[in-house]
Amino acid sequence: MVGCSIEQNTITSTIFHNMTARFNGYFYAKEGAREVEKMILKSLDDDHNKILLIYPRWDTVLAKTYKKNTDEIIKMASISIQRHPNSRWVDDDYLMVGLARLYACDWQNAILTFKYVNTKSHDIHLRHTALLNLARTFTEMKDFDRAEETFRFLEKEKLNRANQKKLYLEKANYYQIREDYNNMVQNLSKADTLLTRQDRKGRIYFILGQVYQKLGFNSEAYNFYKKCLATNPDYEIDFYAHLNMAQVTQLDNQRDIRQVRKQFSKMLKDTKNADFKDKIYFELGEFERKQSNLKEAVQEYKLAAHAGKNKRIKGMAFLRIGQINFDSLKQYKPAKLYYDSAVASLPPDFENLASIKKRQSVLGEFVKYTETIIVNDSLLFYASLDTAQIRHRLDSIWAMNKKEVVTKKKKKKRITEDTDSGGGSAFSSTTASSDQSSSGWYFGSSDLVATGQNEFHRVWGSIVLEDNWRRSSRSAAVSDPTAVAAQQLDKVPEAVKPEKKEAQADPVKILIAQLPKTEAQRNEALAKIEDAYYHLGDLYYFNLNEKDNASQSYEKLVARFPASERMAEVLYKLYLIHKEKNDGLAEGYAARLQKEFSTSTFARILVNPDYIKETTALAEKQKLMYKEAYKLYQDNNLKPAMEGVTEALEAGESSFTSQLDLLRVLIMARTEDVSRYQYELSEFIKKYPKDPLKKYAEQLASASKDFVVKMEKAKGIKFIADAKAPHLFVVVYSSAERITGPVVDALEKFNADEYTKLKLTTSNVGLNDNTLTLCSEFPNKETALSYYYKFITQQQKSKPFSNYKFYNFVISKDNFQILYRNKALDEYLTFFDKNYQK
């Protein structure tokens, strides 16, 4: 025992401490690290539709689940270090401490520990291992500069086989995080010959195949998928390797195509693949799409959408059908429905989900405008027919539809009989599904079922399938559709409510009731069509980037609505489209634009491409001139203010011209009589019918008319100008603001600070919808006006007076009685301006 002391440097002591350190503390720490690694691997949630992760991603939430394990690793390694400080396993124990801290996401302490091992250890291979773990720590921290620096150092070192393999894998993981797939695949390929079965070779080969497939090297991808299958990997990787091999197979002839279809058929029949049928159908749809068999592809995507519970695959299947309808078939209405289903099913982290949602919103607008044109054109057409012609046409349409339904039902029955007799092929279910979807039965149509599911989800949310599901707490916040319908029915007049015994309404009469019969109704329908053509053209032009379709929409608008207010803009867009196509039609549109709309902005842009830039510079110059003129107007220096506005208007026309023109009218309100002011306002409204200032000008015109009426009324009310009479100071504000308390407090504070000797008091009275706060009393007009101007200077810029609209004035006690008795606030304000203001 004396010979085994840590102070001894004998052979006995060395052997004892080395053996005890290795097979006690270090052994248990290493076993604990293996357990933690297994727990981390179990947390890995693979999505085989994306490139699999080489290593799991660590986070603090996951680290909390195995904190006891990492603490135990540190404890065992620490005991070994403390009790056997002279053993040659001390550095290995420190490495275990560093790994435990790395697993626990204690990055800074892990870095210190690995650096300590690299600095103190005499074992070169152990130092390399510490540096590899240090690089992993930097990678997880996303400190990419220090990670690269560590990799560059290790590349210069002579590593053993295990560390060389770990270097390649760590670099591949680093490049995967940075999405540098070229460097990632190079490092994984270098690690290939160094891999053992414990490294999960099948998974690495599968990842290599995925990366090569993403980079477009299908033959290399095929080889690695094949190598993956040779390692007898986990079932899921085996399954997806087979699927991906079908995607990258070189198809040189029809025999190869038949072979791939046969492989898919075999996979569908395999009972082990029951949970993966949706994925198989989806990949079969992808295969058919690549062969340009769009009809067959759509059928397989529909089967994929309803064959399993994987929402990602369901969303991808709906997305593919929507893309086919959108890009290839140009059928935008069904495309909209499938995009709606796709957006409802795809997870939030799906690639390019934002652009998918954008196209979905565009399609919604597109369908709306397309249907607007179809519906209103149809109504206008039927409005030109008499009742007999309408009935004849509707009967023909119904007979045709009925005949089509009967034919489909017979076809469905024949296919069902063939299937029951055993004559169906491996893919007969696909055909049957397709025919069912077009039959009259609701649940036979996957399109209708998908639409119904989305609508149910929108109304009720993701509720659990259970008894009395309508009464669950989730549905409490949603209105009962039956109740809503009942409410709507209650709003209908009694004469219109349907009777149970009444015969079914005549559809011809219903249609006739909707027809545009009057000139106003026809004009309204035409306006809707015009607006729809305009917006359709814009959607084609700007959102869908389809110049030919955009040109057709704009040309239809030009042909049908030659008097359109948008004609100048549409002609300019047609000019741009045909100029880009270089088909010789651009000059004709340019000439028409300059001839018919020479003063429009678009014609000016045509002549001078820098027109917008120049008018913007002019507008900025005019804004500065406006600022100076408006200050003069506020100071009542009206003549120089008018001169400044006139100079700015003469500088040219810009987007700011209307602002200047309105200031000119406001100056005239103070220099001219009221009739001239009202005339100028009416001219401004006519001149700028679409300007945002039009509404304000209309308010000014209305206020001016009210002012004239009040002036006529004020002639019967006589206020008396008496400078020596006692006066009050009055603050007027809306009672709805409920600010009486702050106003009184502010006034009393002002009085206490500035007018203590006058012993002023405050009180409140109501007048119409206003509250009047009175400050009394002042001995004469002069004292009251002194208070008034001092109040304006000091208080109007502070709260609450700066936040609300107020009227302030002084008034003699006798005049206040007249004001209050006649409720003549506006009349007194006019009297105050004339007799009190400077």
Side-chain angles (χ1 to χ4, degrees), residues 548-580:
D548 291 337
N549 287 330
S551 177
Q552 290 177 17
S553 293
Y554 290 141
E555 285 167 357
K556 287 177 182 177
L557 190 152
V558 169
R560 291 189 61 176
F561 307 98
S564 172
E565 293 180 355
R566 298 186 174 105
M567 186 60 69
E569 181 183 353
V570 171
L571 289 173
Y572 180 69
K573 288 174 181 174
L574 284 168
Y575 162 77
L576 292 177
I577 291 170
H578 289 288
K579 182 182 178 183
E580 186 178 339

mmCIF file of all heavy atoms in Angstrom, residues 548-580:
data_model
loop_
_atom_site.group_PDB
_atom_site.id
_atom_site.type_symbol
_atom_site.label_atom_id
_atom_site.label_comp_id
_atom_site.label_asym_id
_atom_site.label_seq_id
_atom_site.Cartn_x
_atom_site.Cartn_y
_atom_site.Cartn_z
ATOM 1 N N ASP A 548 -47.275 37.704 -73.589
ATOM 2 C CA ASP A 548 -48.286 37.489 -74.637
ATOM 3 C C ASP A 548 -49.696 37.569 -74.061
ATOM 4 O O ASP A 548 -50.574 38.232 -74.628
ATOM 5 C CB ASP A 548 -48.070 36.128 -75.314
ATOM 6 C CG ASP A 548 -46.803 36.097 -76.145
ATOM 7 O OD1 ASP A 548 -46.352 37.182 -76.557
ATOM 8 O OD2 ASP A 548 -46.250 35.011 -76.361
ATOM 9 N N ASN A 549 -49.922 36.891 -72.936
ATOM 10 C CA ASN A 549 -51.246 36.942 -72.307
ATOM 11 C C ASN A 549 -51.570 38.340 -71.803
ATOM 12 O O ASN A 549 -52.717 38.786 -71.869
ATOM 13 C CB ASN A 549 -51.318 35.940 -71.152
ATOM 14 C CG ASN A 549 -51.391 34.504 -71.633
ATOM 15 O OD1 ASN A 549 -51.914 34.228 -72.705
ATOM 16 N ND2 ASN A 549 -50.848 33.586 -70.850
ATOM 17 N N ALA A 550 -50.563 39.040 -71.281
ATOM 18 C CA ALA A 550 -50.774 40.420 -70.835
ATOM 19 C C ALA A 550 -51.198 41.296 -72.007
ATOM 20 O O ALA A 550 -52.131 42.103 -71.902
ATOM 21 C CB ALA A 550 -49.500 40.961 -70.192
ATOM 22 N N SER A 551 -50.523 41.119 -73.137
ATOM 23 C CA SER A 551 -50.857 41.904 -74.337
ATOM 24 C C SER A 551 -52.291 41.630 -74.787
ATOM 25 O O SER A 551 -53.024 42.558 -75.153
ATOM 26 C CB SER A 551 -49.873 41.554 -75.458
ATOM 27 O OG SER A 551 -50.207 42.239 -76.642
ATOM 28 N N GLN A 552 -52.711 40.364 -74.742
ATOM 29 C CA GLN A 552 -54.083 40.027 -75.146
ATOM 30 C C GLN A 552 -55.107 40.706 -74.242
ATOM 31 O O GLN A 552 -56.106 41.249 -74.719
ATOM 32 C CB GLN A 552 -54.274 38.509 -75.105
ATOM 33 C CG GLN A 552 -53.519 37.761 -76.190
ATOM 34 C CD GLN A 552 -53.675 36.258 -76.067
ATOM 35 O OE1 GLN A 552 -54.570 35.764 -75.385
ATOM 36 N NE2 GLN A 552 -52.800 35.513 -76.719
ATOM 37 N N SER A 553 -54.867 40.706 -72.928
ATOM 38 C CA SER A 553 -55.802 41.341 -71.993
ATOM 39 C C SER A 553 -55.872 42.845 -72.238
ATOM 40 O O SER A 553 -56.959 43.435 -72.289
ATOM 41 C CB SER A 553 -55.371 41.072 -70.544
ATOM 42 O OG SER A 553 -55.498 39.707 -70.241
ATOM 43 N N TYR A 554 -54.700 43.489 -72.402
ATOM 44 C CA TYR A 554 -54.686 44.936 -72.637
ATOM 45 C C TYR A 554 -55.358 45.280 -73.969
ATOM 46 O O TYR A 554 -56.096 46.276 -74.079
ATOM 47 C CB TYR A 554 -53.252 45.453 -72.638
ATOM 48 C CG TYR A 554 -52.581 45.446 -71.287
ATOM 49 C CD1 TYR A 554 -51.233 45.087 -71.151
ATOM 50 C CD2 TYR A 554 -53.276 45.800 -70.132
ATOM 51 C CE1 TYR A 554 -50.611 45.085 -69.916
ATOM 52 C CE2 TYR A 554 -52.655 45.801 -68.889
ATOM 53 C CZ TYR A 554 -51.320 45.442 -68.794
ATOM 54 O OH TYR A 554 -50.696 45.450 -67.573
ATOM 55 N N GLU A 555 -55.117 44.470 -75.008
ATOM 56 C CA GLU A 555 -55.702 44.750 -76.322
ATOM 57 C C GLU A 555 -57.225 44.588 -76.297
ATOM 58 O O GLU A 555 -57.939 45.337 -76.973
ATOM 59 C CB GLU A 555 -55.074 43.821 -77.369
ATOM 60 C CG GLU A 555 -53.663 44.237 -77.753
ATOM 61 C CD GLU A 555 -52.915 43.178 -78.536
ATOM 62 O OE1 GLU A 555 -53.498 42.075 -78.733
ATOM 63 O OE2 GLU A 555 -51.773 43.425 -78.938
ATOM 64 N N LYS A 556 -57.710 43.606 -75.522
ATOM 65 C CA LYS A 556 -59.167 43.474 -75.384
ATOM 66 C C LYS A 556 -59.765 44.696 -74.698
ATOM 67 O O LYS A 556 -60.836 45.171 -75.069
ATOM 68 C CB LYS A 556 -59.500 42.201 -74.590
ATOM 69 C CG LYS A 556 -59.275 40.919 -75.373
ATOM 70 C CD LYS A 556 -59.550 39.699 -74.505
ATOM 71 C CE LYS A 556 -59.283 38.399 -75.279
ATOM 72 N NZ LYS A 556 -59.473 37.198 -74.441
ATOM 73 N N LEU A 557 -59.057 45.211 -73.691
ATOM 74 C CA LEU A 557 -59.535 46.418 -73.011
ATOM 75 C C LEU A 557 -59.571 47.600 -73.986
ATOM 76 O O LEU A 557 -60.544 48.360 -74.022
ATOM 77 C CB LEU A 557 -58.617 46.731 -71.826
ATOM 78 C CG LEU A 557 -59.070 47.806 -70.833
ATOM 79 C CD1 LEU A 557 -58.481 47.534 -69.452
ATOM 80 C CD2 LEU A 557 -58.663 49.209 -71.267
ATOM 81 N N VAL A 558 -58.508 47.747 -74.774
ATOM 82 C CA VAL A 558 -58.438 48.853 -75.739
ATOM 83 C C VAL A 558 -59.556 48.741 -76.772
ATOM 84 O O VAL A 558 -60.182 49.742 -77.142
ATOM 85 C CB VAL A 558 -57.052 48.867 -76.433
ATOM 86 C CG1 VAL A 558 -57.043 49.825 -77.605
ATOM 87 C CG2 VAL A 558 -55.970 49.244 -75.434
ATOM 88 N N ALA A 559 -59.826 47.506 -77.244
ATOM 89 C CA ALA A 559 -60.843 47.313 -78.278
ATOM 90 C C ALA A 559 -62.256 47.523 -77.732
ATOM 91 O O ALA A 559 -63.097 48.148 -78.380
ATOM 92 C CB ALA A 559 -60.707 45.913 -78.872
ATOM 93 N N ARG A 560 -62.528 47.040 -76.512
ATOM 94 C CA ARG A 560 -63.889 47.097 -75.969
ATOM 95 C C ARG A 560 -64.205 48.407 -75.260
ATOM 96 O O ARG A 560 -65.372 48.799 -75.185
ATOM 97 C CB ARG A 560 -64.116 45.933 -74.994
ATOM 98 C CG ARG A 560 -64.153 44.576 -75.665
ATOM 99 C CD ARG A 560 -64.596 43.491 -74.690
ATOM 100 N NE ARG A 560 -65.936 43.706 -74.159
ATOM 101 C CZ ARG A 560 -66.581 42.869 -73.356
ATOM 102 N NH1 ARG A 560 -65.983 41.751 -72.992
ATOM 103 N NH2 ARG A 560 -67.789 43.142 -72.910
ATOM 104 N N PHE A 561 -63.159 49.074 -74.741
ATOM 105 C CA PHE A 561 -63.405 50.280 -73.949
ATOM 106 C C PHE A 561 -62.488 51.416 -74.420
ATOM 107 O O PHE A 561 -61.546 51.811 -73.715
ATOM 108 C CB PHE A 561 -63.172 49.987 -72.464
ATOM 109 C CG PHE A 561 -63.940 48.804 -71.953
ATOM 110 C CD1 PHE A 561 -63.345 47.554 -71.834
ATOM 111 C CD2 PHE A 561 -65.283 48.926 -71.613
ATOM 112 C CE1 PHE A 561 -64.053 46.460 -71.374
ATOM 113 C CE2 PHE A 561 -66.008 47.840 -71.150
ATOM 114 C CZ PHE A 561 -65.387 46.598 -71.034
ATOM 115 N N PRO A 562 -62.752 51.942 -75.621
ATOM 116 C CA PRO A 562 -61.876 53.002 -76.170
ATOM 117 C C PRO A 562 -61.902 54.293 -75.351
ATOM 118 O O PRO A 562 -60.973 55.095 -75.462
ATOM 119 C CB PRO A 562 -62.447 53.223 -77.580
ATOM 120 C CG PRO A 562 -63.842 52.702 -77.524
ATOM 121 C CD PRO A 562 -63.837 51.587 -76.541
ATOM 122 N N ALA A 563 -62.942 54.509 -74.548
ATOM 123 C CA ALA A 563 -63.032 55.729 -73.747
ATOM 124 C C ALA A 563 -62.553 55.510 -72.314
ATOM 125 O O ALA A 563 -62.840 56.323 -71.417
ATOM 126 C CB ALA A 563 -64.479 56.240 -73.737
ATOM 127 N N SER A 564 -61.827 54.436 -72.061
ATOM 128 C CA SER A 564 -61.386 54.111 -70.708
ATOM 129 C C SER A 564 -60.460 55.182 -70.148
ATOM 130 O O SER A 564 -59.618 55.745 -70.865
ATOM 131 C CB SER A 564 -60.663 52.760 -70.706
ATOM 132 O OG SER A 564 -60.070 52.503 -69.455
ATOM 133 N N GLU A 565 -60.596 55.447 -68.841
ATOM 134 C CA GLU A 565 -59.709 56.404 -68.179
ATOM 135 C C GLU A 565 -58.281 55.863 -68.088
ATOM 136 O O GLU A 565 -57.332 56.629 -67.902
ATOM 137 C CB GLU A 565 -60.223 56.704 -66.767
ATOM 138 C CG GLU A 565 -61.550 57.458 -66.737
ATOM 139 C CD GLU A 565 -62.012 57.728 -65.316
ATOM 140 O OE1 GLU A 565 -61.348 57.237 -64.372
ATOM 141 O OE2 GLU A 565 -63.024 58.426 -65.147
ATOM 142 N N ARG A 566 -58.124 54.561 -68.209
ATOM 143 C CA ARG A 566 -56.797 53.940 -68.111
ATOM 144 C C ARG A 566 -56.134 53.790 -69.483
ATOM 145 O O ARG A 566 -55.089 53.138 -69.588
ATOM 146 C CB ARG A 566 -56.927 52.562 -67.469
ATOM 147 C CG ARG A 566 -57.474 52.561 -66.042
ATOM 148 C CD ARG A 566 -57.393 51.157 -65.491
ATOM 149 N NE ARG A 566 -57.758 51.070 -64.098
ATOM 150 C CZ ARG A 566 -58.909 50.584 -63.656
ATOM 151 N NH1 ARG A 566 -59.814 50.150 -64.522
ATOM 152 N NH2 ARG A 566 -59.166 50.527 -62.362
ATOM 153 N N MET A 567 -56.727 54.357 -70.527
ATOM 154 C CA MET A 567 -56.249 54.115 -71.884
ATOM 155 C C MET A 567 -54.782 54.509 -72.062
ATOM 156 O O MET A 567 -53.998 53.768 -72.664
ATOM 157 C CB MET A 567 -57.122 54.866 -72.886
ATOM 158 C CG MET A 567 -56.798 54.564 -74.335
ATOM 159 S SD MET A 567 -56.985 52.813 -74.755
ATOM 160 C CE MET A 567 -58.754 52.639 -74.637
ATOM 161 N N ALA A 568 -54.383 55.677 -71.527
ATOM 162 C CA ALA A 568 -52.998 56.131 -71.701
ATOM 163 C C ALA A 568 -52.021 55.136 -71.079
ATOM 164 O O ALA A 568 -51.010 54.762 -71.687
ATOM 165 C CB ALA A 568 -52.820 57.510 -71.078
ATOM 166 N N GLU A 569 -52.321 54.681 -69.884
ATOM 167 C CA GLU A 569 -51.446 53.721 -69.202
ATOM 168 C C GLU A 569 -51.388 52.397 -69.951
ATOM 169 O O GLU A 569 -50.315 51.807 -70.109
ATOM 170 C CB GLU A 569 -51.948 53.504 -67.774
ATOM 171 C CG GLU A 569 -51.099 52.544 -66.970
ATOM 172 C CD GLU A 569 -51.653 52.285 -65.576
ATOM 173 O OE1 GLU A 569 -52.632 52.970 -65.190
ATOM 174 O OE2 GLU A 569 -51.126 51.402 -64.886
ATOM 175 N N VAL A 570 -52.535 51.918 -70.438
ATOM 176 C CA VAL A 570 -52.584 50.639 -71.148
ATOM 177 C C VAL A 570 -51.801 50.725 -72.460
ATOM 178 O O VAL A 570 -51.051 49.799 -72.809
ATOM 179 C CB VAL A 570 -54.048 50.219 -71.396
ATOM 180 C CG1 VAL A 570 -54.118 49.010 -72.320
ATOM 181 C CG2 VAL A 570 -54.745 49.909 -70.079
ATOM 182 N N LEU A 571 -51.964 51.827 -73.194
ATOM 183 C CA LEU A 571 -51.214 51.999 -74.440
ATOM 184 C C LEU A 571 -49.710 52.007 -74.179
ATOM 185 O O LEU A 571 -48.925 51.447 -74.955
ATOM 186 C CB LEU A 571 -51.634 53.304 -75.128
ATOM 187 C CG LEU A 571 -53.036 53.314 -75.748
ATOM 188 C CD1 LEU A 571 -53.390 54.717 -76.247
ATOM 189 C CD2 LEU A 571 -53.143 52.314 -76.896
ATOM 190 N N TYR A 572 -49.313 52.640 -73.081
ATOM 191 C CA TYR A 572 -47.881 52.685 -72.751
ATOM 192 C C TYR A 572 -47.362 51.278 -72.425
ATOM 193 O O TYR A 572 -46.254 50.903 -72.840
ATOM 194 C CB TYR A 572 -47.658 53.621 -71.576
ATOM 195 C CG TYR A 572 -46.207 53.738 -71.169
ATOM 196 C CD1 TYR A 572 -45.285 54.383 -71.989
ATOM 197 C CD2 TYR A 572 -45.758 53.180 -69.980
ATOM 198 C CE1 TYR A 572 -43.953 54.490 -71.622
ATOM 199 C CE2 TYR A 572 -44.422 53.275 -69.607
ATOM 200 C CZ TYR A 572 -43.525 53.933 -70.436
ATOM 201 O OH TYR A 572 -42.202 54.029 -70.070
ATOM 202 N N LYS A 573 -48.147 50.487 -71.686
ATOM 203 C CA LYS A 573 -47.721 49.117 -71.358
ATOM 204 C C LYS A 573 -47.648 48.257 -72.619
ATOM 205 O O LYS A 573 -46.739 47.429 -72.772
ATOM 206 C CB LYS A 573 -48.673 48.501 -70.343
ATOM 207 C CG LYS A 573 -48.536 49.087 -68.948
ATOM 208 C CD LYS A 573 -49.599 48.540 -68.004
ATOM 209 C CE LYS A 573 -49.468 49.155 -66.615
ATOM 210 N NZ LYS A 573 -50.569 48.747 -65.716
ATOM 211 N N LEU A 574 -48.614 48.438 -73.540
ATOM 212 C CA LEU A 574 -48.562 47.706 -74.813
ATOM 213 C C LEU A 574 -47.326 48.103 -75.615
ATOM 214 O O LEU A 574 -46.686 47.258 -76.262
ATOM 215 C CB LEU A 574 -49.836 47.978 -75.622
ATOM 216 C CG LEU A 574 -51.090 47.236 -75.152
ATOM 217 C CD1 LEU A 574 -52.334 47.797 -75.821
ATOM 218 C CD2 LEU A 574 -50.975 45.740 -75.431
ATOM 219 N N TYR A 575 -46.986 49.380 -75.556
ATOM 220 C CA TYR A 575 -45.769 49.855 -76.231
ATOM 221 C C TYR A 575 -44.536 49.149 -75.666
ATOM 222 O O TYR A 575 -43.673 48.671 -76.424
ATOM 223 C CB TYR A 575 -45.654 51.371 -76.060
ATOM 224 C CG TYR A 575 -44.272 51.911 -76.319
ATOM 225 C CD1 TYR A 575 -43.785 52.067 -77.616
ATOM 226 C CD2 TYR A 575 -43.433 52.252 -75.251
ATOM 227 C CE1 TYR A 575 -42.504 52.546 -77.846
ATOM 228 C CE2 TYR A 575 -42.162 52.735 -75.470
ATOM 229 C CZ TYR A 575 -41.691 52.876 -76.769
ATOM 230 O OH TYR A 575 -40.431 53.351 -76.983
ATOM 231 N N LEU A 576 -44.437 49.055 -74.338
ATOM 232 C CA LEU A 576 -43.281 48.408 -73.710
ATOM 233 C C LEU A 576 -43.214 46.921 -74.060
ATOM 234 O O LEU A 576 -42.132 46.389 -74.335
ATOM 235 C CB LEU A 576 -43.359 48.574 -72.185
ATOM 236 C CG LEU A 576 -43.189 49.988 -71.630
ATOM 237 C CD1 LEU A 576 -43.365 49.980 -70.119
ATOM 238 C CD2 LEU A 576 -41.828 50.562 -71.999
ATOM 239 N N ILE A 577 -44.387 46.237 -74.038
ATOM 240 C CA ILE A 577 -44.416 44.797 -74.337
ATOM 241 C C ILE A 577 -43.939 44.539 -75.765
ATOM 242 O O ILE A 577 -43.071 43.673 -76.002
ATOM 243 C CB ILE A 577 -45.831 44.235 -74.123
ATOM 244 C CG1 ILE A 577 -46.193 44.234 -72.630
ATOM 245 C CG2 ILE A 577 -45.938 42.813 -74.679
ATOM 246 C CD1 ILE A 577 -47.645 43.913 -72.349
ATOM 247 N N HIS A 578 -44.485 45.286 -76.715
ATOM 248 C CA HIS A 578 -44.134 45.040 -78.121
ATOM 249 C C HIS A 578 -42.737 45.556 -78.465
ATOM 250 O O HIS A 578 -42.085 45.034 -79.376
ATOM 251 C CB HIS A 578 -45.184 45.672 -79.028
ATOM 252 C CG HIS A 578 -46.502 44.954 -78.983
ATOM 253 N ND1 HIS A 578 -46.697 43.718 -79.560
ATOM 254 C CD2 HIS A 578 -47.689 45.284 -78.390
ATOM 255 C CE1 HIS A 578 -47.946 43.316 -79.343
ATOM 256 N NE2 HIS A 578 -48.565 44.244 -78.632
ATOM 257 N N LYS A 579 -42.269 46.543 -77.720
ATOM 258 C CA LYS A 579 -40.885 46.990 -77.913
ATOM 259 C C LYS A 579 -39.921 45.889 -77.502
ATOM 260 O O LYS A 579 -38.908 45.646 -78.167
ATOM 261 C CB LYS A 579 -40.642 48.260 -77.096
ATOM 262 C CG LYS A 579 -39.235 48.836 -77.276
ATOM 263 C CD LYS A 579 -39.044 50.058 -76.400
ATOM 264 C CE LYS A 579 -37.616 50.606 -76.557
ATOM 265 N NZ LYS A 579 -37.373 51.762 -75.665
ATOM 266 N N GLU A 580 -40.238 45.199 -76.411
ATOM 267 C CA GLU A 580 -39.410 44.086 -75.935
ATOM 268 C C GLU A 580 -39.478 42.909 -76.916
ATOM 269 O O GLU A 580 -38.480 42.233 -77.154
ATOM 270 C CB GLU A 580 -39.872 43.656 -74.547
ATOM 271 C CG GLU A 580 -38.998 42.612 -73.898
ATOM 272 C CD GLU A 580 -39.463 42.259 -72.497
ATOM 273 O OE1 GLU A 580 -40.187 43.066 -71.875
ATOM 274 O OE2 GLU A 580 -39.096 41.168 -72.026
#
